[in-house]
Tab-separated table of all heavy atoms in Angstrom:
chain	number	residue	atom	x	y	z
A	1	PHE	N	8.477	-4.208	-24.772
A	1	PHE	CA	7.225	-3.819	-23.995
A	1	PHE	C	6.762	-4.923	-23.162
A	1	PHE	O	6.262	-4.678	-22.060
A	1	PHE	CB	6.092	-3.545	-25.125
A	1	PHE	CG	4.677	-3.394	-24.416
A	1	PHE	CD1	4.524	-2.132	-23.879
A	1	PHE	CD2	3.818	-4.393	-24.460
A	1	PHE	CE1	3.234	-1.883	-23.267
A	1	PHE	CE2	2.583	-4.169	-23.812
A	1	PHE	CZ	2.310	-2.895	-23.175
A	2	GLY	N	7.167	-6.196	-23.418
A	2	GLY	CA	6.792	-7.320	-22.465
A	2	GLY	C	7.387	-7.262	-21.191
A	2	GLY	O	6.691	-7.586	-20.173
A	3	TRP	N	8.609	-6.792	-21.133
A	3	TRP	CA	9.243	-6.727	-19.823
A	3	TRP	C	8.756	-5.548	-19.107
A	3	TRP	O	8.686	-5.472	-17.833
A	3	TRP	CB	10.864	-6.625	-20.035
A	3	TRP	CG	11.373	-7.878	-20.221
A	3	TRP	CD1	11.917	-8.378	-21.409
A	3	TRP	CD2	11.564	-8.966	-19.270
A	3	TRP	NE1	12.392	-9.665	-21.259
A	3	TRP	CE2	12.215	-10.059	-20.021
A	3	TRP	CE3	11.199	-9.172	-17.952
A	3	TRP	CZ2	12.492	-11.202	-19.330
A	3	TRP	CZ3	11.502	-10.320	-17.245
A	3	TRP	CH2	12.165	-11.345	-17.897
A	4	VAL	N	8.419	-4.404	-19.747
A	4	VAL	CA	7.794	-3.176	-19.093
A	4	VAL	C	6.411	-3.651	-18.527
A	4	VAL	O	6.106	-3.342	-17.390
A	4	VAL	CB	7.593	-2.072	-20.086
A	4	VAL	CG1	6.823	-0.905	-19.467
A	4	VAL	CG2	8.974	-1.599	-20.630
A	5	LEU	N	5.709	-4.434	-19.218
A	5	LEU	CA	4.454	-4.900	-18.733
A	5	LEU	C	4.505	-5.972	-17.591
A	5	LEU	O	3.826	-5.815	-16.557
A	5	LEU	CB	3.618	-5.679	-19.939
A	5	LEU	CG	2.227	-6.199	-19.590
A	5	LEU	CD1	1.356	-5.139	-19.209
A	5	LEU	CD2	1.668	-6.997	-20.712
A	6	ALA	N	5.609	-6.770	-17.658
A	6	ALA	CA	5.871	-7.670	-16.530
A	6	ALA	C	6.271	-6.873	-15.279
A	6	ALA	O	5.756	-7.257	-14.213
A	6	ALA	CB	6.936	-8.651	-16.865
A	7	ALA	N	7.102	-5.844	-15.383
A	7	ALA	CA	7.470	-5.057	-14.240
A	7	ALA	C	6.197	-4.328	-13.688
A	7	ALA	O	5.960	-4.257	-12.473
A	7	ALA	CB	8.501	-4.042	-14.731
A	8	ALA	N	5.429	-3.771	-14.526
A	8	ALA	CA	4.207	-3.089	-14.063
A	8	ALA	C	3.203	-4.000	-13.377
A	8	ALA	O	2.587	-3.755	-12.341
A	8	ALA	CB	3.484	-2.433	-15.274
A	9	LEU	N	3.096	-5.202	-13.980
A	9	LEU	CA	2.018	-6.145	-13.315
A	9	LEU	C	2.600	-6.704	-11.965
A	9	LEU	O	1.862	-6.888	-10.989
A	9	LEU	CB	1.908	-7.383	-14.301
A	9	LEU	CG	1.052	-7.079	-15.520
A	9	LEU	CD1	0.953	-8.310	-16.402
A	9	LEU	CD2	-0.359	-6.609	-15.240
A	10	LEU	N	3.934	-6.932	-11.868
A	10	LEU	CA	4.457	-7.272	-10.552
A	10	LEU	C	4.329	-6.091	-9.515
A	10	LEU	O	3.953	-6.489	-8.450
A	10	LEU	CB	5.982	-7.616	-10.735
A	10	LEU	CG	6.696	-8.066	-9.469
A	10	LEU	CD1	6.110	-9.378	-8.883
A	10	LEU	CD2	8.136	-8.165	-9.685
A	11	ALA	N	4.500	-5.039	-9.934
A	11	ALA	CA	4.322	-3.860	-9.060
A	11	ALA	C	2.841	-3.633	-8.589
A	11	ALA	O	2.534	-3.426	-7.408
A	11	ALA	CB	4.870	-2.525	-9.639
A	12	ILE	N	1.893	-3.843	-9.576
A	12	ILE	CA	0.541	-3.738	-9.329
A	12	ILE	C	0.033	-4.791	-8.333
A	12	ILE	O	-0.712	-4.573	-7.351
A	12	ILE	CB	-0.282	-3.690	-10.570
A	12	ILE	CG1	-0.095	-2.427	-11.412
A	12	ILE	CG2	-1.735	-3.893	-10.349
A	12	ILE	CD1	-0.651	-2.505	-12.729
A	13	PHE	N	0.539	-5.988	-8.596
A	13	PHE	CA	0.215	-7.170	-7.724
A	13	PHE	C	0.610	-6.895	-6.236
A	13	PHE	O	-0.121	-7.054	-5.277
A	13	PHE	CB	0.808	-8.435	-8.253
A	13	PHE	CG	0.623	-9.643	-7.227
A	13	PHE	CD1	-0.661	-10.134	-6.942
A	13	PHE	CD2	1.707	-10.081	-6.515
A	13	PHE	CE1	-0.773	-11.184	-6.030
A	13	PHE	CE2	1.577	-11.181	-5.568
A	13	PHE	CZ	0.308	-11.636	-5.385
A	14	LEU	N	1.874	-6.419	-6.160
A	14	LEU	CA	2.335	-6.090	-4.779
A	14	LEU	C	1.491	-4.931	-4.120
A	14	LEU	O	1.217	-5.072	-2.898
A	14	LEU	CB	3.817	-5.724	-4.723
A	14	LEU	CG	4.457	-5.544	-3.376
A	14	LEU	CD1	4.486	-6.797	-2.614
A	14	LEU	CD2	5.844	-4.905	-3.524
A	15	GLY	N	1.141	-3.903	-4.884
A	15	GLY	CA	0.349	-2.919	-4.358
A	15	GLY	C	-1.016	-3.323	-3.920
A	15	GLY	O	-1.540	-2.958	-2.866
A	16	TRP	N	-1.598	-4.340	-4.693
A	16	TRP	CA	-2.851	-4.865	-4.319
A	16	TRP	C	-2.760	-5.751	-3.102
A	16	TRP	O	-3.623	-5.666	-2.234
A	16	TRP	CB	-3.468	-5.745	-5.519
A	16	TRP	CG	-4.711	-6.316	-5.163
A	16	TRP	CD1	-6.025	-5.661	-5.156
A	16	TRP	CD2	-4.991	-7.729	-4.784
A	16	TRP	NE1	-6.966	-6.534	-4.868
A	16	TRP	CE2	-6.448	-7.867	-4.652
A	16	TRP	CE3	-4.181	-8.779	-4.628
A	16	TRP	CZ2	-7.036	-8.990	-4.323
A	16	TRP	CZ3	-4.814	-9.999	-4.366
A	16	TRP	CH2	-6.195	-10.124	-4.077
A	17	ALA	N	-1.722	-6.403	-2.986
A	17	ALA	CA	-1.419	-7.151	-1.740
A	17	ALA	C	-1.303	-6.296	-0.545
A	17	ALA	O	-1.926	-6.608	0.562
A	17	ALA	CB	-0.126	-8.070	-1.887
A	18	LEU	N	-0.632	-5.276	-0.699
A	18	LEU	CA	-0.533	-4.323	0.469
A	18	LEU	C	-1.821	-3.632	0.865
A	18	LEU	O	-2.028	-3.019	1.906
A	18	LEU	CB	0.568	-3.221	0.050
A	18	LEU	CG	1.973	-3.677	0.177
A	18	LEU	CD1	2.943	-2.601	-0.364
A	18	LEU	CD2	2.475	-4.213	1.499
A	19	SER	N	-2.668	-3.535	-0.248
A	19	SER	CA	-4.041	-3.050	0.073
A	19	SER	C	-4.729	-3.737	1.240
A	19	SER	O	-5.477	-3.169	1.988
A	19	SER	CB	-4.997	-2.940	-1.120
A	19	SER	OG	-4.366	-2.208	-2.194
A	20	TRP	N	-4.515	-5.035	1.371
A	20	TRP	CA	-5.092	-5.852	2.386
A	20	TRP	C	-4.536	-5.326	3.774
A	20	TRP	O	-5.272	-5.388	4.751
A	20	TRP	CB	-4.859	-7.272	2.108
A	20	TRP	CG	-5.610	-7.893	1.065
A	20	TRP	CD1	-5.264	-8.009	-0.259
A	20	TRP	CD2	-6.991	-8.423	1.155
A	20	TRP	NE1	-6.243	-8.607	-0.992
A	20	TRP	CE2	-7.284	-8.829	-0.151
A	20	TRP	CE3	-7.882	-8.436	2.112
A	20	TRP	CZ2	-8.559	-9.428	-0.457
A	20	TRP	CZ3	-9.132	-9.115	1.810
A	20	TRP	CH2	-9.514	-9.505	0.621
A	21	VAL	N	-3.285	-5.012	3.749
A	21	VAL	CA	-2.719	-4.610	5.027
A	21	VAL	C	-3.373	-3.330	5.508
A	21	VAL	O	-3.716	-3.142	6.658
A	21	VAL	CB	-1.143	-4.379	4.954
A	21	VAL	CG1	-0.577	-3.898	6.214
A	21	VAL	CG2	-0.535	-5.693	4.417
A	22	PHE	N	-3.492	-2.308	4.563
A	22	PHE	CA	-4.040	-1.007	4.920
A	22	PHE	C	-5.495	-1.119	5.212
A	22	PHE	O	-6.032	-0.383	6.036
A	22	PHE	CB	-3.655	0.019	3.843
A	22	PHE	CG	-2.277	0.415	3.715
A	22	PHE	CD1	-1.431	-0.116	2.706
A	22	PHE	CD2	-1.851	1.247	4.668
A	22	PHE	CE1	-0.095	0.319	2.606
A	22	PHE	CE2	-0.496	1.720	4.606
A	22	PHE	CZ	0.417	1.158	3.581
A	23	ALA	N	-6.198	-2.053	4.427
A	23	ALA	CA	-7.627	-2.259	4.725
A	23	ALA	C	-7.856	-2.751	6.167
A	23	ALA	O	-8.763	-2.337	6.771
A	23	ALA	CB	-8.156	-3.306	3.636
A	24	LEU	N	-6.917	-3.657	6.555
A	24	LEU	CA	-7.093	-4.136	7.945
A	24	LEU	C	-6.843	-3.042	8.938
A	24	LEU	O	-7.651	-2.892	9.970
A	24	LEU	CB	-5.975	-5.243	8.244
A	24	LEU	CG	-5.964	-5.836	9.694
A	24	LEU	CD1	-7.166	-6.416	10.085
A	24	LEU	CD2	-4.705	-6.752	9.774
A	25	PHE	N	-5.911	-2.192	8.703
A	25	PHE	CA	-5.713	-1.026	9.551
A	25	PHE	C	-6.851	-0.073	9.614
A	25	PHE	O	-7.223	0.546	10.575
A	25	PHE	CB	-4.498	-0.308	9.184
A	25	PHE	CG	-4.105	0.853	10.162
A	25	PHE	CD1	-3.630	0.609	11.351
A	25	PHE	CD2	-4.332	2.219	9.807
A	25	PHE	CE1	-3.332	1.566	12.381
A	25	PHE	CE2	-4.045	3.156	10.613
A	25	PHE	CZ	-3.535	2.944	11.898
A	26	GLY	N	-7.413	0.141	8.344
A	26	GLY	CA	-8.670	0.997	8.225
A	26	GLY	C	-9.822	0.479	9.051
A	26	GLY	O	-10.636	1.208	9.612
A	27	LEU	N	-9.934	-0.919	9.135
A	27	LEU	CA	-10.977	-1.476	9.942
A	27	LEU	C	-10.728	-1.414	11.471
A	27	LEU	O	-11.630	-1.256	12.172
A	27	LEU	CB	-11.204	-3.039	9.525
A	27	LEU	CG	-11.694	-3.256	8.159
A	27	LEU	CD1	-11.525	-4.737	7.955
A	27	LEU	CD2	-13.218	-2.940	8.258
A	28	LEU	N	-9.505	-1.395	11.908
A	28	LEU	CA	-9.058	-1.370	13.291
A	28	LEU	C	-8.931	0.070	13.772
A	28	LEU	O	-9.062	0.244	15.027
A	28	LEU	CB	-7.855	-2.139	13.515
A	28	LEU	CG	-7.813	-3.650	13.115
A	28	LEU	CD1	-6.483	-4.277	13.405
A	28	LEU	CD2	-8.907	-4.378	13.944
A	29	ALA	N	-8.630	1.019	12.910
A	29	ALA	CA	-8.339	2.331	13.435
A	29	ALA	C	-9.636	3.078	13.862
A	29	ALA	O	-10.726	2.665	13.542
A	29	ALA	CB	-7.726	3.196	12.347
A	30	LYS	N	-9.428	4.160	14.702
A	30	LYS	CA	-10.644	4.766	15.231
A	30	LYS	C	-11.138	5.953	14.360
A	30	LYS	O	-12.277	6.381	14.533
A	30	LYS	CB	-10.275	5.383	16.706
A	30	LYS	CG	-10.022	4.335	17.615
A	30	LYS	CD	-9.701	4.926	19.021
A	30	LYS	CE	-9.428	3.912	20.014
A	30	LYS	NZ	-9.171	4.494	21.356
A	31	SER	N	-10.369	6.346	13.391
A	31	SER	CA	-10.856	7.469	12.566
A	31	SER	C	-10.004	7.441	11.126
A	31	SER	O	-8.855	6.808	11.103
A	31	SER	CB	-10.579	8.854	13.201
A	31	SER	OG	-9.222	9.121	13.361
A	32	SER	N	-10.532	8.077	10.197
A	32	SER	CA	-9.859	8.177	8.933
A	32	SER	C	-8.550	9.040	8.995
A	32	SER	O	-7.610	8.771	8.233
A	32	SER	CB	-10.763	8.700	7.799
A	32	SER	OG	-11.217	10.114	8.265
A	33	THR	N	-8.493	9.991	9.931
A	33	THR	CA	-7.351	10.808	10.194
A	33	THR	C	-6.240	9.943	10.632
A	33	THR	O	-5.038	10.160	10.106
A	33	THR	CB	-7.653	11.908	11.170
A	33	THR	OG1	-8.818	12.654	10.678
A	33	THR	CG2	-6.467	12.822	11.400
A	34	MET	N	-6.519	9.075	11.497
A	34	MET	CA	-5.413	8.152	11.996
A	34	MET	C	-4.955	7.324	10.871
A	34	MET	O	-3.752	7.054	10.731
A	34	MET	CB	-6.038	7.289	13.206
A	34	MET	CG	-4.895	6.324	13.670
A	34	MET	SD	-5.711	5.161	15.011
A	34	MET	CE	-6.017	6.413	16.273
A	35	VAL	N	-5.865	6.726	10.041
A	35	VAL	CA	-5.401	5.964	8.866
A	35	VAL	C	-4.568	6.784	7.897
A	35	VAL	O	-3.530	6.242	7.418
A	35	VAL	CB	-6.637	5.529	8.109
A	35	VAL	CG1	-6.267	4.632	6.937
A	35	VAL	CG2	-7.466	4.521	9.065
A	36	GLN	N	-4.952	7.999	7.612
A	36	GLN	CA	-4.197	8.833	6.696
A	36	GLN	C	-2.810	9.107	7.268
A	36	GLN	O	-1.854	9.091	6.489
A	36	GLN	CB	-4.987	10.184	6.438
A	36	GLN	CG	-6.199	9.995	5.587
A	36	GLN	CD	-6.940	11.381	5.420
A	36	GLN	OE1	-6.784	12.264	6.193
A	36	GLN	NE2	-7.986	11.276	4.602
A	37	SER	N	-2.740	9.456	8.590
A	37	SER	CA	-1.458	9.743	9.271
A	37	SER	C	-0.515	8.577	9.190
A	37	SER	O	0.682	8.616	8.791
A	37	SER	CB	-1.604	10.263	10.657
A	37	SER	OG	-2.415	11.385	10.650
A	38	PHE	N	-0.987	7.393	9.534
A	38	PHE	CA	-0.296	6.142	9.467
A	38	PHE	C	0.166	5.770	8.124
A	38	PHE	O	1.360	5.397	7.869
A	38	PHE	CB	-1.110	4.960	10.075
A	38	PHE	CG	-0.527	3.669	9.897
A	38	PHE	CD1	0.520	3.210	10.771
A	38	PHE	CD2	-0.899	2.810	8.856
A	38	PHE	CE1	1.077	2.005	10.674
A	38	PHE	CE2	-0.299	1.546	8.671
A	38	PHE	CZ	0.710	1.079	9.551
A	39	SER	N	-0.680	6.027	7.058
A	39	SER	CA	-0.347	5.662	5.674
A	39	SER	C	0.727	6.518	5.211
A	39	SER	O	1.574	6.062	4.530
A	39	SER	CB	-1.647	5.750	4.811
A	39	SER	OG	-2.667	4.880	5.326
A	40	MET	N	0.621	7.864	5.486
A	40	MET	CA	1.599	8.813	5.059
A	40	MET	C	2.896	8.539	5.596
A	40	MET	O	3.886	8.473	4.909
A	40	MET	CB	1.161	10.183	5.415
A	40	MET	CG	2.143	11.347	5.001
A	40	MET	SD	2.436	11.331	3.217
A	40	MET	CE	0.803	12.000	2.612
A	41	ILE	N	3.094	8.332	6.913
A	41	ILE	CA	4.285	8.027	7.531
A	41	ILE	C	4.958	6.689	7.056
A	41	ILE	O	6.099	6.607	6.774
A	41	ILE	CB	4.111	7.972	9.118
A	41	ILE	CG1	3.779	9.295	9.662
A	41	ILE	CG2	5.390	7.325	9.748
A	41	ILE	CD1	3.330	9.217	11.143
A	42	THR	N	4.129	5.665	6.923
A	42	THR	CA	4.493	4.458	6.295
A	42	THR	C	5.102	4.565	4.964
A	42	THR	O	6.192	4.055	4.622
A	42	THR	CB	3.374	3.347	6.322
A	42	THR	OG1	2.970	3.107	7.621
A	42	THR	CG2	3.987	2.042	5.741
A	43	MET	N	4.387	5.340	4.115
A	43	MET	CA	4.773	5.507	2.690
A	43	MET	C	6.110	6.276	2.640
A	43	MET	O	6.954	5.940	1.859
A	43	MET	CB	3.628	6.210	1.944
A	43	MET	CG	3.945	6.336	0.470
A	43	MET	SD	4.717	7.875	0.041
A	43	MET	CE	3.457	9.025	0.314
A	44	MET	N	6.214	7.333	3.397
A	44	MET	CA	7.359	8.231	3.359
A	44	MET	C	8.668	7.385	3.904
A	44	MET	O	9.673	7.487	3.253
A	44	MET	CB	7.158	9.453	4.297
A	44	MET	CG	6.086	10.346	3.721
A	44	MET	SD	6.399	11.127	2.154
A	44	MET	CE	7.498	12.418	2.609
A	45	VAL	N	8.505	6.700	4.978
A	45	VAL	CA	9.652	6.029	5.583
A	45	VAL	C	10.119	4.898	4.587
A	45	VAL	O	11.243	4.746	4.307
A	45	VAL	CB	9.248	5.347	6.956
A	45	VAL	CG1	10.346	4.393	7.427
A	45	VAL	CG2	9.117	6.444	7.943
A	46	LEU	N	9.165	4.102	4.036
A	46	LEU	CA	9.503	2.970	3.229
A	46	LEU	C	10.100	3.461	1.875
A	46	LEU	O	11.073	2.817	1.366
A	46	LEU	CB	8.294	2.043	2.969
A	46	LEU	CG	7.807	1.232	4.101
A	46	LEU	CD1	6.528	0.464	3.738
A	46	LEU	CD2	8.793	0.297	4.585
A	47	SER	N	9.671	4.515	1.350
A	47	SER	CA	10.099	5.031	0.019
A	47	SER	C	11.436	5.746	0.167
A	47	SER	O	12.305	5.577	-0.665
A	47	SER	CB	9.020	5.829	-0.673
A	47	SER	OG	8.713	6.975	0.096
A	48	PHE	N	11.460	6.707	1.147
A	48	PHE	CA	12.706	7.441	1.267
A	48	PHE	C	13.917	6.742	1.946
A	48	PHE	O	15.082	7.006	1.736
A	48	PHE	CB	12.403	8.757	1.979
A	48	PHE	CG	11.717	9.723	1.151
A	48	PHE	CD1	10.376	9.879	1.334
A	48	PHE	CD2	12.348	10.372	0.146
A	48	PHE	CE1	9.638	10.860	0.526
A	48	PHE	CE2	11.648	11.280	-0.610
A	48	PHE	CZ	10.209	11.545	-0.409
């Protein structure tokens, strides 16, 4: 379980770090639609 927890915490930390990137884009974007579109494209490209 310790290694499962370590893997989960590392992934959560990276996700929280990336939240700052998307937060910055949310502040700079003109609309939530633009943020959603950018986020979806980024997520799909990076994961697939």
Side-chain angles (χ1 to χ4, degrees):
F1 176 76
W3 282 107
V4 176
L5 181 61
L9 290 177
L10 180 64
I12 289 171
F13 170 69
L14 184 67
W16 181 74
L18 290 173
S19 295
W20 287 95
V21 180
F22 288 105
L24 176 61
F25 185 74
L27 290 167
L28 298 177
K30 294 182 178 180
S31 66
S32 59
T33 302
M34 180 182 294
V35 178
Q36 290 174 348
S37 299
F38 172 79
S39 301
M40 178 62 69
I41 293 172
T42 302
M43 186 267 291
M44 298 293 281
V45 170
L46 288 177
S47 58
F48 286 104

